[in-house]
């Protein structure tokens, strides 16, 4: 089981080379697969067919992506792309705290978790694509960022269809209680 990473600041480790980017990217994509499978399970318990399918589709898309990255790794002679480096050992930028996931998770909650993961990945790849000294890193990171941008956009579109449901559980605890 993954440990909670909630309080850890989202600092990106330095990526020295395409080889390191490939290793991290594989981890990022596999985390996304795991996340979407969990979210699909959650939505299945809600009998939400649309979001169950959507999350399963996204899990498949991220898995294909991970496989592409694995092929890239093999081309580059990297033996163990699944072995993450540095501070992300067991904690990639797409890892999210699913300890909060429970059977009462609404579609809105699920989509917010999905969006947060996609935005973290986009920020990570986007920063590398914009700033890295190595053009090969910038190019690969740019391609990965484009994919994540599509996922971010998809999450936003879905959030329009599934606005938050306000219940007692969701109510802002800081707001004064106005009686019931
Ligand atoms: Zn993604």
């Amino acid at each position: 089981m993954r440990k909670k990473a909630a309080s850890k600041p989202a600092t990106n480790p330095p990526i020295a080379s395409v080889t390191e980017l490939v290793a991290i990217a594989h981890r990022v994509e596999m985390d996304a697969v795991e996340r979407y499978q969990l979210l699909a399970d959650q939505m299945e318990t809600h009998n939400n067919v649309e979001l169950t399918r959507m999350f399963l589709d996204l899990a498949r898309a991220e898995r294909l992506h991970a496989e592409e990255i694995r092929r890239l790794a093999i081309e580059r002679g990297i033996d163990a792309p699944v072995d993450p480096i540095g501070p992300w050992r067991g904690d990639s930028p797409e890892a999210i705290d699913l300890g909060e996931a429970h059977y009462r998770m609404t579609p809105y909650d699920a989509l917010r978790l999905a969006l947060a993961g996609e935005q973290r990945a986009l920020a990570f790849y986007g920063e590398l694509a914009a700033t890295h000294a190595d053009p090969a890193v910038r190019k690969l990171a740019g391609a990965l960022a484009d994919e994540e941008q599509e996922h971010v956009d998809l999450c936003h579109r879905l959030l329009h269809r599934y606005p938050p449901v306000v219940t007692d559980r969701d109510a802002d605890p800081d707001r004064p209680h106005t009686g019931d």
Side-chain angles (χ1 to χ4, degrees):
M1 291 298 291
R2 193 195 313 292
K3 284 203 227 72
K4 283 183 76 166
S7 57
K8 189 178 275 189
T11 49
N12 295 334
I15 299 285
S17 64
V18 170
T19 298
E20 287 188 1
L21 177 55
V22 164
I24 285 288
H26 188 268
R27 175 83 201 185
V28 168
E29 303 305 324
M30 290 310 293
D31 279 347
V33 171
E34 185 186 347
R35 181 178 70 247
Y36 281 122
Q37 282 171 344
L38 279 162
L39 292 175
D41 286 350
Q42 293 291 328
M43 290 303 99
E44 202 170 18
T45 67
H46 277 252
N47 300 314
N48 188 318
V49 175
E50 180 187 45
L51 283 186
T52 302
R53 281 198 192 131
M54 191 66 68
F55 287 141
L56 288 175
D57 282 351
L58 278 161
R60 256 191 302 278
E62 305 281 18
R63 185 180 295 282
L64 284 174
H65 214 181
E67 284 165 11
E68 276 170 40
I69 290 164
R70 186 161 183 89
R71 273 195 293 277
L72 255 182
I74 291 164
E75 273 172 31
R76 299 185 66 85
I78 305 166
D79 284 334
V82 290
D83 189 23
I85 57 166
W88 282 342
R89 195 166 287 276
D91 179 23
S92 91
E94 281 220 22
I96 58 166
D97 179 14
L98 281 166
E100 297 300 313
H102 52 71
Y103 72 102
R104 293 172 74 186
M105 179 188 281
T106 66
Y108 174 80
D109 296 334
L111 287 166
R112 293 293 304 182
L113 282 172
L115 177 63
E118 298 295 349
Q119 284 175 329
R120 265 194 301 277
L122 175 60
F124 168 60
Y125 293 137
E127 190 195 325
L128 285 174
T131 63
H132 203 276
D134 181 347
V137 169
R138 289 202 302 275
K139 183 165 179 248
L140 176 58
L144 293 164
D146 288 347
E147 299 267 353
E148 301 303 347
Q149 182 68 61
E150 284 176 26
H151 297 165
V152 166
D153 293 346
L154 175 61
C155 288
H156 278 303
R157 282 200 299 280
L158 286 165
L159 275 164
H160 281 293
R161 290 228 288 281
Y162 292 97
V165 178
V166 178
T167 65
D168 285 351
R169 182 178 68 86
D170 298 323
D172 180 358
D174 295 322
R175 194 184 299 155
H177 196 64
T178 50
D180 49 18

